[in-house]
Amino acid sequence: MKTGLILEGGAMRGLFSAGVMDVLMENNIVFDGAIGVSAGAAFGCNYKSQQPGRVIRYNTRFAKDPRYASFRSWLKTGNLFGAEFCYRTIPNELDLFDAQTFAQNPMEFYVVCTDLQTGKAVYQKCSQVDETCFEWMRASASMPVFSRVVTIDGRPLLDGGMADSIPLRFFEKIGYDTNVLILTQPDGYQKKPNRLFPLIRLCLRKYPQAAQTMQHRHEQYNQTLAYIKQQESTGKILVIRPDTALSIGRVEHHTDRMLAVYQQGRRVAERRLDEIRSFLSKKG
């Protein structure tokens, strides 16, 4: 039996997940593997590098820096979240990412992207952090319309949430049968059709399969939620989610809102810490 941590995306809603993860790391909760989608990938890599506090630290530090996330960056570079600044300057110079610990930690770490040619999810295992690994993370978190296509080995990629927002079935398929899920929407949430779909379809006109995936994304997402509820009701998985909808934007410049969402995650994790330990103790 293998224990897994599954991290949904959601842009700045991912600060809720960061709060949960920091409490788990501070209490020495260990998983055999983790998988992140979008912000879940960009923030979740800090679990393997064992750097609690890093996500909220750099997000609040650079919240008002236009190089980090701004419509100016989008108009200038095609990326709402600055590619060079977020995935090179910050981890290599301004808030160092512990690549050595990441490589030495035996916990497996996967990121999810969407292959634009097929419209299907791609699950990439990252064993060490180098430029290519950061590109996979960037691709996983690159939202349609607001990001340029990321090409790796000739494969055009964008946000993993397009094709598989919550990759529980994939982790179960590869042997992870004791899974903790961190979701960023409250219980009862249902995704609606994307009002920006006409614009998304225009931006994806070269990739009709990806456009079709986006057209039906809400249906696939809600089907996954139904599967999660089924697995949760039988005790096969443990789900951590916010008690209420998180009051934060996809791009957020107010550090008080960031800290509030992060603290929400911490409080939920602290409240359920004994339950999490008990659930993971079923391993073996």
Side-chain angles (χ1 to χ4, degrees):
M1 296 177 69
K2 293 197 295 185
T3 58
L5 178 65
I6 299 172
L7 304 164
E8 184 182 14
M12 284 300 156
R13 294 199 310 273
L15 291 174
F16 172 86
S17 304
V20 174
M21 288 189 288
D22 281 358
V23 169
L24 299 185
M25 283 190 276
E26 291 161 6
N27 285 274
N28 301 310
I29 304 296
V30 176
F31 294 90
D32 295 313
I35 185 167
V37 182
S38 195
F43 296 168
C45 59
N46 293 278
Y47 210 109
K48 184 170 168 62
S49 67
Q50 286 294 289
Q51 291 180 276
R54 182 173 180 270
V55 172
I56 189 62
R57 183 174 64 239
Y58 73 72
N59 271 283
T60 53
R61 178 182 175 187
F62 301 113
K64 297 181 181 179
D65 192 319
R67 296 173 297 172
Y68 182 58
S70 67
F71 284 99
R72 190 171 87 182
S73 172
W74 180 46
L75 293 172
K76 184 177 179 180
T77 70
N79 291 302
L80 190 63
F81 287 83
E84 183 70 24
F85 189 71
C86 293
Y87 295 95
R88 292 182 180 84
T89 304
I90 291 177
N92 295 327
E93 300 175 20
L94 301 179
D95 197 317
L96 297 181
F97 185 81
D98 191 343
Q100 182 177 357
T101 297
F102 184 96
Q104 292 175 346
N105 188 341
M107 183 183 83
E108 295 183 325
F109 184 70
Y110 291 81
V111 302
V112 185
C113 300
T114 299
D115 185 321
L116 298 184
Q117 291 178 329
T118 65
K120 304 293 186 182
V122 179
Y123 307 94
Q124 176 67 25
K125 183 178 177 180
C126 295
S127 299
Q128 61 182 11
V129 169
D130 52 20
E131 186 171 341
T132 300
C133 181
F134 276 131
E135 282 294 277
W136 279 103
M137 293 180 194
R138 181 166 78 90
S140 181
S142 291
M143 300 175 286
V145 179
F146 298 106
S147 307
R148 289 187 178 274
V149 173
V150 180
T151 302
I152 302 176
D153 296 331
R155 174 184 277 178
L157 304 165
L158 278 179
D159 196 320
M162 296 168 61
D164 193 356
S165 296
I166 312 169
L168 172 59
R169 287 187 177 90
F170 170 75
F171 241 31
E172 291 175 335
K173 182 179 178 180
I174 64 172
Y176 286 89
D177 44 22
T178 305
N179 293 302
V180 173
L181 281 67
I182 304 180
L183 306 185
T184 59
Q185 295 284 9
D187 194 15
Y189 172 80
Q190 290 282 288
K191 188 175 287 296
K192 298 178 181 178
N194 195 320
R195 291 178 296 177
L196 291 179
F197 179 69
L199 179 58
I200 292 170
R201 181 169 54 191
L202 178 64
C203 292
L204 294 176
R205 59 190 178 278
K206 295 181 180 178
Y207 307 104
Q209 294 299 319
Q212 186 175 30
T213 295
M214 279 299 295
Q215 184 176 8
H216 298 285
R217 184 193 175 203
H218 64 289
E219 298 167 0
Q220 189 269 347
Y221 183 91
N222 293 335
Q223 289 168 5
T224 298
L225 287 182
Y227 178 70
I228 288 170
K229 290 293 287 186
Q230 176 189 355
Q231 295 295 84
E232 186 180 17
S233 67
T234 61
K236 292 182 179 179
I237 62 174
L238 188 148
V239 182
I240 302 171
R241 49 170 75 85
D243 298 324
T244 59
L246 299 172
S247 299
I248 195 165
R250 283 192 167 273
V251 177
E252 187 58 69
H253 301 299
H254 294 86
T255 57
D256 56 338
R257 293 176 188 167
M258 291 182 169
L259 288 165
V261 168
Y262 171 77
Q263 290 296 339
Q264 281 181 261
R266 289 193 63 93
R267 286 193 295 271
V268 170
E270 288 164 353
R271 186 177 74 223
R272 300 186 64 187
L273 197 54
D274 288 341
E275 182 186 359
I276 295 166
R277 286 194 179 108
S278 177
F279 175 76
L280 293 175
S281 70
K282 296 189 301 183
K283 178 185 176 185

